[in-house]
Amino acid sequence: MAKNPADGPARAPRRTSGLSRDLIIRTAIEILDEGGESALTIRALTIRLRTGYGALYHHVSDRNDLLTGATDAIITGVLSGTAPDADRLGSGTETDTDPRGTGTAADPRASLRALALGLFDAVEAHPWVGRELSREPWRPALLDFYEAIGRLLDALAVPDEARFDAAGTFMSFVLGAGAQSAANASHLATATTARDTFLAATASRWTDLDPAKYPFVRATVTRLSDHDDREQFLAGVDIILRGIAAQG
């Protein structure tokens, strides 16, 4: 029998395969990546997963639970891939002058760099993660991240009395840079001016500044217009790691 148009649009068939928290979180990440935090609603999930509210609430308590689970999943992914990647980080013997980061998985310093870069890249790929970390910084997965840093500092023979400050400084820089990266990504997503054009215009304005009042700012103009945020982040990580090494 043909469907009466007055009955409204046909509903998508309900899911017949099993629903799990892992599947729900992975689907929430997809929605967040596609449309940001505002796109993630319980209704959007039920439609994407072709399930009902009751089945969904059996695995998650509310939208905040979804955001927490999604953010923790991204951080856990960073922790599971802490060994330096040859394609992204280079290969061979680590040096202080290599901005890409090198070394082996057994090198605590290289692993610290990989942890930092992993979180930076994760926030760049998922800008909503940076905003979630700023709203709720000490979530369970981030405690695991902090613990990993502490163990690597121990492997570097950082003294007990310096380890707390070293770990805190390292975490503050990585999370702060991640939050800034998320803010930049959000701005660029809605801006009408491309990043290169924006930096070139800023460099031009800085060139016109009073050299007596802003000698350093004007001196950085040549670096500003063509700098790479990722390489600058790694340079900052190296500065901190050299300071940490001095504590040993």
Side-chain angles (χ1 to χ4, degrees), residues 156-172:
L156 284 172
V158 175
D160 290 345
E161 62 272 18
R163 202 172 303 155
F164 175 77
D165 289 336
T169 300
F170 189 85
M171 283 286 289
S172 295

Side-chain angles (χ1 to χ4, degrees), residues 169-183:
T169 300
F170 189 85
M171 283 286 289
S172 295
F173 176 75
V174 172
L175 293 179
Q180 184 61 54
S181 176

Side-chain angles (χ1 to χ4, degrees), residues 175-234:
L175 293 179
Q180 184 61 54
S181 176
N184 291 342
S186 296
H187 173 74
L188 290 174
T190 58
T192 57
T193 304
R195 177 182 183 274
D196 291 346
T197 303
F198 172 79
L199 289 177
T202 302
S204 179
R205 289 195 301 272
W206 287 10
T207 301
D208 295 333
L209 292 172
D210 180 356
K213 186 176 182 180
Y214 298 104
F216 172 75
V217 174
R218 293 182 82 256
T220 62
V221 166
T222 55
R223 298 290 302 276
L224 174 68
S225 57
D226 62 355
H227 82 280
D228 182 278
D229 291 338
R230 194 169 183 268
E231 289 186 1
Q232 188 177 49
F233 171 76
L234 277 174

Side-chain angles (χ1 to χ4, degrees), residues 46-85:
T46 60
I47 294 173
R48 181 74 64 96
L49 291 168
R50 294 183 286 111
T51 190
Y53 288 92
L56 207 63
Y57 282 124
H58 181 71
H59 298 280
V60 296
S61 57
D62 53 26
R63 184 175 179 276
N64 285 334
D65 188 20
L66 287 169
L67 285 168
T68 296
T71 305
D72 283 354
I74 297 298
I75 299 172
T76 299
V78 173
L79 286 168
S80 68
T82 56
D85 183 295

Side-chain angles (χ1 to χ4, degrees), residues 97-164:
T97 58
D98 184 354
R100 296 171 303 168
T102 56
T104 66
D107 182 347
R109 188 174 184 273
S111 294
L112 279 166
R113 296 177 96 252
L115 267 179
L117 187 60
L119 190 59
F120 182 86
D121 285 344
V123 171
E124 187 173 54
H126 314 278
W128 50 271
V129 170
R131 290 185 287 274
E132 282 304 303
L133 291 179
S134 66
R135 281 196 281 265
E136 187 186 343
W138 289 113
R139 58 189 65 242
L142 208 55
L143 287 175
D144 293 335
F145 194 91
Y146 187 54
E147 179 65 27
I149 289 172
R151 292 179 181 181
L152 289 168
L153 292 176
D154 184 37
L156 284 172
V158 175
D160 290 345
E161 62 272 18
R163 202 172 303 155
F164 175 77

